[in-house]
Amino acid sequence: MNCLSILLCDQSEDSSMFSFFSSKKRSRASAYQADLKEGLTNTGHSSEALLNLQSASLPRLSSLITGNVLVFKQAATYLPHPDKVHYGGEDAHFLTDYGGGAMGVADGVGGWQESGVNPAEYSRTLMRLSKAYLEGSDIFSEQAEARKEGVLIDPRGAINAAHLHTKVPGSSTACVIQLDQTNRALVAANLGDSGFVIIRDGKNLFKSKPLQHYFDCPLQFGAFPEYVEATDTADMADVYSIPLRRGDVIVAGSDGLWDNTPIPEIISMAPRRPEDVEMCSQRIANAARTHAGDPTFPSPYTREALSQGLDLSFWDKISGIGFRNGKLQMRQLTGGKMDDITVLVAFVDEIHVPSPVTAASPAPAPDATL
């Protein structure tokens, strides 16, 4: 991801930039709720997938439960940009078994390299602290003591806390996903153009929506005011709560996945068994990398660019004229986008958690009668 100008604006633009952020926040929040409800009820999706955005945005403690409970069987594959392998690329992610399963992905802004900054330091710190917030570890260990026995369900709180405590130069998108075992649901918070898709019975049940200021410039966190003049915030993130059932599959990733791989292709490679998650994450990531390096592939990235009015010049179209599929055609805007690629895959399984063993009753006294 290369958008940097939004966060590193001139000092004179400070007030207008914050006004821009707040107006975008208001319009997006109301429009997105409407879009979700309409999309889920009018496109044939199951009524089980109706979202409860209000309750999903509130942190809460989920009690430890027993009986049949859902769990995530998870795996991740990360392929850094070929030119950035030497420092590990700029994506970051985490997986944890906490509360039955949680995962997160962040995409650092590569433009910071021009300022002599390693963009990965910000995204890695953001994900490390998001995970720590949920688990109650690291700098959040004291807060965890107040939870007693319970699981914190708060993905937006996780990215918010991580944002507030990540005080290094850089900026990044963030997406955090949790399993809410009590309500048998996925809960998530997403800021930027990372995201996830939920697959059920070989079909697209739901796909999160990228949040962008404009094409190819997503909403992103930065350390304000230490290193940036303005930042997007966690209250601008989209929040989700979607009922799950055994056999569902969640595929999450950075924009390196979504820019290069059509959703139907991702669905075709989704795991059908819990033990296949690692293999499938690798297959999906490798497919995205193949498309990224193919100049003729009609990628989601170039399709979106065309829909935004971005295209080749007329001269470029004429200079590339030739026979394609038996027809004389001008050159078209095609090709993937070489980038870091992170793929996280979770298979929703179900296990039985037995009730705690109660203390054994005292043995009856021996009969003293003769």
Side-chain angles (χ1 to χ4, degrees):
M1 182 176 64
N2 297 311
C3 171
L4 192 61
S5 59
I6 286 290
L7 295 181
L8 298 184
C9 56
D10 294 335
Q11 185 69 30
S12 61
E13 297 177 351
D14 246 3
S15 60
S16 61
M17 187 58 63
F18 280 113
S19 175
F20 169 79
F21 285 156
S22 61
S23 64
K24 284 292 184 182
K25 170 186 169 183
R26 287 192 298 270
S27 62
R28 182 172 55 254
S30 58
Y32 195 42
Q33 284 195 21
D35 287 346
L36 287 177
K37 292 176 181 177
E38 181 179 349
L40 288 172
T41 56
N42 293 345
T43 60
H45 287 117
S46 169
S47 59
E48 293 181 32
L50 291 176
L51 306 184
N52 187 340
L53 297 180
Q54 183 176 3
S55 64
S57 66
L58 301 176
R60 62 191 186 280
L61 281 176
S62 175
S63 60
L64 300 177
I65 60 176
T66 58
N68 293 334
V69 299
L70 298 181
V71 293
F72 283 171
K73 302 296 185 180
Q74 305 173 110
T77 298
Y78 175 44
L79 302 178
H81 189 295
D83 296 338
K84 302 174 182 179
V85 173
H86 62 286
Y87 66 86
E90 294 144 8
D91 281 4
H93 70 273
F94 75 83
L95 299 175
T96 176
D97 292 331
Y98 175 79
M103 55 188 178
V105 59
D107 179 7
V109 177
W112 282 92
Q113 281 186 313
E114 301 171 6
S115 302
V117 171
N118 180 354
E121 186 177 358
Y122 190 92
S123 57
R124 292 170 186 169
T125 304
L126 196 70
M127 287 293 96
R128 176 177 62 82
L129 293 180
S130 294
K131 178 174 180 283
Y133 174 84
L134 296 176
E135 295 178 334
S137 60
D138 203 316
I139 62 174
F140 304 107
S141 57
E142 292 185 4
Q143 299 177 23
E145 296 177 3
R147 299 179 192 173
K148 297 182 181 179
E149 292 188 1
V151 175
L152 179 64
I153 306 297
D154 191 14
R156 184 157 70 178
I159 61 175
N160 181 58
H163 178 212
L164 295 177
H165 289 87
T166 301
K167 298 300 183 182
V168 296
S171 47
S172 175
T173 66
C175 179
V176 169
I177 299 167
Q178 278 188 275
L179 174 60
D180 180 354
Q181 288 182 313
T182 299
N183 295 304
R184 299 172 71 89
L186 172 148
V187 290
N190 182 56
L191 184 118
D193 57 1
S194 295
F196 64 93
V197 62
I198 302 176
I199 302 166
R200 176 174 295 170
D201 299 329
K203 298 178 181 179
N204 175 8
L205 177 71
F206 180 75
K207 169 73 171 65
S208 63
K209 183 178 180 180
L211 301 180
Q212 302 185 88
H213 292 292
Y214 49 84
F215 176 67
D216 212 22
C217 186
L219 274 64
Q220 57 199 259
F221 291 127
F224 172 82
E226 292 85 355
Y227 298 104
V228 296
E229 299 293 340
T231 180
D232 298 308
T233 56
D235 63 343
M236 302 171 73
D238 281 332
V239 182
Y240 307 88
S241 177
I242 306 175
L244 295 174
R245 67 189 190 199
R246 184 179 186 179
D248 288 348
V249 173
I250 298 101
V251 178
S254 60
D255 66 335
L257 170 63
W258 312 116
D259 285 345
N260 291 297
T261 320
I263 297 299
E265 184 176 2
I266 293 175
I267 292 174
S268 71
M269 294 183 284
R272 298 185 179 182
R273 305 178 301 169
E275 53 266 35
D276 292 339
V277 290
E278 184 172 0
M279 176 190 68
C280 290
S281 72
Q282 294 171 355
R283 287 180 60 195
I284 295 170
N286 288 334
R289 172 52 51 82
T290 298
H291 295 327
D294 183 354
T296 65
F297 181 68
S299 67
Y301 180 77
T302 52
R303 299 303 92 186
E304 178 63 19
L306 288 170
S307 73
Q308 298 289 328
L310 304 174
D311 200 353
L312 300 173
S313 67
F314 182 73
W315 173 251
D316 286 335
K317 290 182 178 183
I318 291 294
S319 64
I321 196 168
F323 282 95
R324 299 177 183 87
N325 299 321
K327 298 180 180 180
L328 185 65
Q329 298 179 359
M330 291 190 295
R331 182 184 175 191
Q332 299 177 341
L333 180 64
T334 57
K337 178 187 177 186
M338 190 57 67
D339 201 351
D340 299 330
I341 297 169
T342 298
V343 178
L344 312 177
V345 177
F347 188 97
V348 181
D349 203 1
E350 190 167 23
I351 62 172
H352 182 76
V353 177
S355 301
V357 178
T358 57
S361 302
D367 191 350
T369 59
L370 295 177

